[in-house]
């Protein structure tokens, strides 16, 4: 056995290992710089403990990810293939790929609120494609520039640390920095354990901020989006999704409706299914759909029907008696039989374009050119939402794929029949059913966030718990939280908050 060759092999491996530590140390600094964007993507913590946890977790968790990447890639390569020039080149390429992925993940998180994942792939591709098509030259230059800068940094660091390895070994600050990061790592986990046990949402709402961190729960997701009444929870252990302090922010300036079309729309709401069926029997050419999703709380349904918004905004709007922002002299609305919304009639006109009538007897429909919707209020109070039957004089509505909500009816009336599509899109969360592209939506009733995607409805209740149910059959679906979808839904729900 040639001992000199063995010693030479060991010496190279030892040198590469020492070099790898300094190379990783430099990449920890780069990762910390890139991951700063995560800290500014969401609303910051408000307590000293929350801010402390954010900082120590950012330092320790990001450093741990960078070190783990070295251990799983460069370190084994150094032992198996101890050729400095090749290893340094491969390490630079590997680190460039890792830093580029971290940059991409940060961009996705800032824009969508969640990290790279297979389940979020359609939304991520849509985001990147929109960015590319909106400004292809600039996007290509920026993306290529970022990769080139990262690669240049990696090659520079790789060569510098190798050629100055002996001098770097003499520095002592690295061991102090490592000790500090270990303390931060231990402190962050200790704080999280305490916060989880003591219901400190200012800490636990940060669970999913950094990549590869704690999995998000329904409670932390709501807390992160300021939808938990944390004070009530601490006092009474009764978390309630908080919309009491929500300020409704009207969109401004309002889009113009240059292509306004004169039309009449009558929306009839019946107390019982029998009354609805009697009306339909007497009214010809009414088309049926079984995919009408409405809250079982009647007031929430009627509010959503008139304003095109979830009841999340009901308290703020009714307190100020704010009129529907889309309403104008030509787009006037009149409500009948809805006492809490009767103030809207103060601005109604004798020939309002849209009428919403809560009826018990058979109501009178206006002339033959009037578009008509009719449905009955839910009588099943055991659930938060239920699917029922909707009738429409517009045959196209009955052919719409997926669920239809009350807010969609007013959005379709203003956007399609009155031909004010931009205003409907700007002022409502309801969807113009003529323009419906995807089968998903969000609502809110009785303190519960309601989000649906195809046949699956996700309910996050006032305790921060969640369940998935089938829209068509009503049975429970055993499935985990779809975090990307729920983040998207909550962001949409909060569109008009300050």
């Amino acid at each position: 056995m040639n001992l000199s060759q063995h010693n030479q092999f060991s010496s190279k491996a030892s040198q590469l290992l020492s070099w790898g530590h300094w190379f990783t140390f430099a990449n920890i600094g780069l990762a910390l710089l890139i991951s700063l964007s995560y800290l500014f993507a969401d609303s910051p913590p408000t307590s000293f403990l929350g801010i402390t946890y954010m900082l120590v977790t950012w330092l320790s968790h990001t450093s741990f990810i960078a070190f783990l990447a070295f251990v799983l890639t460069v370190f084994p390569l150094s032992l198996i293939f101890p050729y400095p020039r090749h290893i340094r080149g491969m390490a630079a390429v590997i680190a460039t790929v890792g830093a580029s992925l971290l940059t991409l993940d940060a961009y996705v998180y800032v824009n969508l609120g969640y990290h790279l994942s297979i389940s979020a792939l359609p939304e991520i591709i849509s985001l990147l494609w929109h960015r590319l098509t909106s400004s292809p030259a600039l996007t290509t230059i920026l993306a290529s520039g970022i990769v080139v800068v990262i690669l240049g940094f990696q090659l520079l660091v790789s060569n510098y640390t190798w050629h100055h390895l002996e001098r770097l070994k003499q520095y002592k600050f690295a061991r102090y920095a490592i000790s500090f990061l270990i303390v931060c790592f231990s402190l962050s986990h200790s704080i999280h354990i305490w916060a989880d046990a003591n219901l400190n949402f200012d800490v636990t709402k940060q669970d999913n901020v950094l990549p590869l961190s704690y999995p998000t729960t329904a409670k932390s997701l709501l807390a992160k989006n300021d939808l938990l009444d944390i004070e009530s929870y601490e006092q009474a252990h009764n978390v309630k999704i908080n919309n009491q302090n929500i300020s409704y922010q009207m969109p401004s300036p309002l889009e113009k409706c240059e292509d306004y079309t004169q039309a009449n729309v009558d929306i009839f709401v019946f107390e019982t299914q029998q009354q609805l069926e009697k009306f339909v029997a007497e009214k010809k050419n009414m088309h049926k759909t079984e995919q009408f999703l409405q809250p079982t709380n009647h007031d929430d349904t009627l509010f959503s029907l008139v304003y095109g918004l979830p009841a999340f905004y009901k308290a703020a709007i009714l307190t100020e008696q704010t009129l529907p922002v889309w309403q104008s002299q030509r787009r006037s609305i009149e409500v009948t039989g809805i006492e809490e919304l009767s103030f809207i009639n103060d601005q109604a006109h004798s020939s309002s374009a849209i009428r919403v009538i809560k009826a018990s007897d058979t109501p009178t429909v206006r002339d033959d050119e009037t578009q008509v919707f009719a449905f009955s209020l839910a009588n099943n109070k055991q659930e938060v939402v239920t699917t029922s039957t909707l009738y429409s004089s517009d045959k196209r509505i009955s052919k719409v794929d997926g669920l239809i909500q009350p807010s969609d009816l007013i959005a379709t009336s203003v956007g399609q029949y009155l031909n004010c599509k931009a205003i409907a899109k700007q002022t409502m969360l309801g969807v113009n059913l003529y323009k419906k592209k995807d089968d998903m939506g969000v609502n809110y009733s009785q303190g519960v966030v309601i989000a649906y995607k195809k046949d699956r409805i996700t309910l996050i209740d006032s305790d921060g718990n969640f369940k998935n149910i089938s829209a068509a059959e009503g049975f429970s679906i055993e499935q985990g939280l779809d975090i990307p979808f729920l983040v998207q839904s909550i962001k949409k729900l909060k569109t008009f908050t300050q």
Side-chain angles (χ1 to χ4, degrees):
M1 181 177 180
N2 193 330
L3 293 177
S4 61
Q5 289 182 351
H6 181 269
N7 290 337
Q8 187 178 10
F9 182 91
S10 300
S11 176
K12 285 184 178 180
S14 177
Q15 275 189 305
L16 282 173
L17 183 60
S18 181
W19 163 83
H21 288 149
W22 285 101
F23 181 72
T24 303
F25 193 74
N27 272 281
I28 286 175
L30 177 62
L32 287 171
L33 181 63
I34 295 172
S35 62
L36 270 175
S37 56
Y38 294 110
L39 306 187
F40 299 101
D42 300 313
S43 57
T46 56
S47 66
F48 175 77
L49 184 66
I51 294 172
T52 301
Y53 176 78
M54 178 182 71
L55 294 175
V56 297
T57 302
W58 165 65
L59 287 167
S60 61
H61 185 76
T62 306
S63 303
F64 177 75
I65 291 176
F67 179 72
L68 187 64
F70 164 75
V71 170
L72 295 177
T73 57
V74 180
F75 176 68
L77 285 174
S78 301
L79 296 178
I80 299 171
F81 192 69
Y83 297 97
R85 181 175 297 180
H86 298 85
I87 289 296
R88 282 157 39 208
M90 286 189 288
V93 172
I94 292 170
T96 299
V97 172
S100 299
L101 282 174
L102 183 62
T103 304
L104 176 61
D105 183 80
Y107 177 77
V108 169
Y109 187 84
V110 168
N111 285 273
L112 298 178
Y114 44 82
H115 299 287
L116 296 175
S117 67
I118 298 298
S119 63
L121 197 57
E123 289 85 356
I124 294 169
I125 292 175
S126 177
L127 170 68
L128 298 179
W129 180 253
H130 175 73
R131 175 65 180 171
L132 181 62
T133 54
S134 60
S135 52
L138 180 61
T139 301
T140 303
I141 292 172
L142 284 175
S144 302
I146 290 171
V147 173
V148 169
V149 168
I150 293 174
L151 179 60
F153 171 82
Q154 300 297 345
L155 292 172
L156 181 65
V157 167
S158 175
N159 286 319
Y160 181 87
T161 51
W162 179 257
H163 292 299
H164 298 82
L165 188 57
E166 293 303 321
R167 190 173 69 181
L168 290 173
K169 287 180 180 180
Q170 297 175 8
Y171 293 146
K172 296 182 179 181
F173 77 90
R175 67 184 68 175
Y176 297 124
I178 292 172
S179 300
F180 177 71
L181 291 176
I182 292 173
V183 171
C184 287
F185 187 82
S186 302
L187 184 60
S188 69
H189 285 274
S190 300
I191 292 175
H192 190 276
I193 292 170
W194 179 89
D196 199 34
N198 290 274
L199 310 173
N200 189 313
F201 285 105
D202 203 37
V203 170
T204 57
K205 74 178 184 180
Q206 302 178 51
D207 279 357
N208 200 42
V209 172
L210 296 172
L212 303 176
S213 54
Y214 292 100
T216 296
T217 64
K219 290 180 182 179
S220 61
L221 181 63
L222 292 174
K224 190 170 92 172
N225 287 276
D226 301 321
L227 293 180
L228 282 182
D229 189 345
I230 298 173
E231 184 177 352
S232 296
Y233 191 83
E234 291 172 343
Q235 292 175 355
H237 283 209
N238 182 25
V239 177
K240 294 185 178 179
I241 296 173
N242 180 19
N243 76 319
Q244 298 305 310
N245 298 319
I246 290 297
S247 296
Y248 170 63
Q249 180 65 46
M250 293 186 292
S252 179
L254 199 63
E255 297 281 351
K256 291 184 178 180
C257 182
E258 303 290 354
D259 301 324
Y260 172 80
T261 300
Q262 181 65 43
N264 291 327
V265 182
D266 285 349
I267 305 176
F268 298 108
V269 184
F270 295 92
E271 292 281 356
T272 66
Q273 181 69 19
Q274 290 75 18
Q275 294 168 352
L276 173 63
E277 291 173 354
K278 180 182 177 182
F279 169 78
V280 172
E282 297 177 3
K283 175 69 177 173
K284 296 181 180 179
N285 299 321
M286 294 294 286
H287 306 282
K288 177 181 180 182
T289 175
E290 301 285 358
Q291 293 286 76
F292 188 60
L293 181 70
Q294 61 169 309
T296 57
N297 183 291
H298 296 174
D299 291 340
D300 290 351
T301 297
L302 294 171
F303 172 84
S304 185
L305 176 64
V306 172
Y307 280 85
L309 298 170
F312 182 69
Y313 299 97
K314 186 174 72 172
I317 286 177
L318 295 188
T319 299
E320 300 294 329
Q321 293 197 343
T322 305
L323 297 173
V325 68
W326 52 264
Q327 182 177 245
S328 70
Q329 185 173 359
R330 295 189 298 177
R331 299 186 297 274
S332 176
I333 182 173
E334 176 187 351
V335 298
T336 302
I338 310 174
E339 184 176 350
E340 70 174 356
L341 300 179
S342 60
F343 63 88
I344 294 176
N345 293 330
D346 294 340
Q347 298 294 323
H349 297 267
S350 56
S351 56
S352 296
I354 301 172
R355 297 193 307 171
V356 176
I357 301 173
K358 185 181 177 184
S360 55
D361 299 323
T362 303
T364 302
V365 181
R366 289 181 284 185
D367 60 66
D368 292 338
E369 295 184 5
T370 300
Q371 296 287 351
V372 178
F373 292 106
F375 66 92
S376 63
L377 294 169
N379 56 16
N380 178 12
K381 296 289 186 176
Q382 295 180 348
E383 299 292 340
V384 177
V385 288
T386 186
T387 51
S388 58
T389 305
L390 171 71
Y391 289 91
S392 172
S393 60
D394 188 345
K395 188 175 182 179
R396 183 164 177 173
I397 300 301
S398 65
K399 296 181 178 180
V400 171
D401 292 330
L403 298 170
I404 298 173
Q405 298 193 89
S407 56
D408 299 338
L409 304 186
I410 195 70
T412 304
S413 300
V414 175
Q416 191 64 37
Y417 304 141
L418 301 185
N419 202 21
C420 295
K421 298 177 179 63
I423 288 177
K425 185 176 182 180
Q426 181 190 16
T427 61
M428 307 183 205
L429 293 186
V431 178
N432 181 347
L433 296 173
Y434 274 63
K435 302 294 181 180
K436 188 172 184 179
K437 296 180 180 179
D438 48 30
D439 190 9
M440 62 178 62
V442 65
N443 209 332
Y444 177 93
S445 181
Q446 303 179 62
V448 178
V449 175
I450 305 158
Y452 76 82
K453 188 175 185 180
K454 297 184 178 179
D455 184 58
R456 185 191 66 200
I457 302 173
T458 301
L459 306 174
I460 305 181
D461 66 18
S462 58
D463 291 324
N465 301 313
F466 78 96
K467 69 175 179 178
N468 295 309
I469 61 174
S470 166
E473 303 296 335
F475 56 79
S476 296
I477 301 173
E478 295 300 326
Q479 189 173 352
L481 274 176
D482 185 345
I483 296 301
F485 164 62
L486 290 178
V487 169
Q488 206 172 28
S489 298
I490 290 173
K491 282 190 173 183
K492 183 177 180 181
L493 179 65
K494 297 175 63 183
T495 299
F496 300 105
T497 59
Q498 286 184 323

